[in-house]
Amino acid sequence: MEYLPSEQQQQNVPLHLIVCCQCGTPIEPNPANTCVACVRTLVDITEGIPKQGTLHFCKGCERYLQPPSTWVTAPLESHELLAVCLKRLNGLNKVHLVDAGFVWTEPHSKRVKVKLTVQKEVFSGAILQQVFVVEYVVHGQMCDECHRREAKDYWNSVVQVRQKVVFSYHPVAMVMMLYLFRCPIRRHFFIWSSCC
């Protein structure tokens, strides 16, 4: 007895095949007229995305830096750490992110690997999907709170000077205010201060 496919299965079989313009293998017609293997060799959709990056980690409070100045608590292989890693990639807005996940690494290796799956339309309608790995190196950096806790003689201060003068252009008052303005400049306090 011989197996005969049903009419429904016969309709799904393509009747027309074309030859790939690069390698000559028979393929179904597509907008690029090229097989998938040849399209992958011609086009790299991950070209503008960096494959390596850095993460700053505070050992004191076990938080990661989310630029410019936010520190986020994120355990290893968590959604929060994945969000921090994806925000550090610059070229992701040019492609469509399909999937993202962690690749296991040793916890003491100071490496975090993220596997990304991206899609992009190439050759007028052909959608190419590519999988690649981005490796992050974890660098140690103290956050501001831990830095203040470690440095016991670190002070924060605010100074406000007021002077009441009957005449606004009194020469002694002008000299005194000029002295008070120049004093921090001579000692380079302006680097750490802010004027309001």
Side-chain angles (χ1 to χ4, degrees):
M1 182 160 184
E2 204 174 278
Y3 173 75
L4 295 174
S6 65
E7 293 178 19
Q8 203 173 34
Q9 289 176 343
Q10 287 178 353
Q11 290 175 357
N12 293 338
V13 176
L15 297 176
H16 303 288
L17 293 177
I18 62 169
V19 178
C20 174
C21 63
Q22 296 289 327
C23 63
T25 58
I27 59 169
E28 295 180 22
N30 60 23
N33 290 335
T34 312
C35 67
V36 176
C38 292
V39 170
R40 284 188 180 154
T41 58
L42 292 174
V43 179
D44 183 21
I45 62 173
T46 64
E47 188 176 1
I49 302 171
K51 306 297 187 285
Q52 293 179 344
T54 59
L55 291 174
H56 297 285
F57 178 70
C58 179
K59 293 179 184 176
C61 56
E62 296 183 355
R63 296 187 296 176
Y64 289 92
L65 175 66
Q66 184 173 1
S69 62
T70 308
W71 290 86
V72 178
T73 303
L76 284 176
E77 297 189 8
S78 65
H79 294 291
E80 293 86 9
L81 184 59
L82 187 61
V84 170
C85 293
L86 291 178
K87 285 181 183 176
R88 295 190 68 96
L89 288 178
N90 294 330
L92 275 182
N93 56 357
K94 299 175 186 172
V95 294
H96 175 67
L97 182 64
V98 176
D99 187 29
F102 287 102
V103 177
W104 189 83
T105 56
E106 292 285 339
H108 63 274
S109 68
K110 301 284 187 184
R111 302 277 190 268
V112 175
K113 292 184 180 181
V114 179
K115 184 171 86 170
L116 301 173
T117 305
V118 294
Q119 284 182 350
K120 187 175 181 180
E121 183 176 333
V122 292
F123 295 138
S124 68
I127 295 176
L128 184 63
Q129 181 171 326
Q130 220 166 354
V131 178
F132 66 102
V133 175
V134 179
E135 181 177 351
Y136 292 95
V137 179
V138 179
H139 290 289
Q141 178 180 347
M142 291 182 82
C143 65
D144 293 335
E145 290 91 18
C146 292
H147 187 68
R148 285 189 191 118
R149 198 177 323 126
E150 288 292 321
K152 294 176 178 52
D153 57 353
Y154 181 77
W155 293 356
N156 252 346
S157 63
V158 176
V159 178
Q160 188 178 38
V161 179
R162 294 183 181 185
Q163 184 177 16
K164 184 176 181 180
V165 179
V166 177
F167 301 105
S168 61
Y169 293 107
H170 194 270
V172 176
M174 294 293 287
V175 170
M176 186 61 161
M177 291 304 283
L178 190 61
Y179 173 75
L180 287 174
F181 282 137
R182 287 186 181 169
C183 190
I185 295 173
R186 268 192 246 131
R187 290 179 175 79
H188 301 286
F189 290 151
F190 62 91
I191 296 172
W192 302 289
S193 65
S194 63
C195 294
C196 297

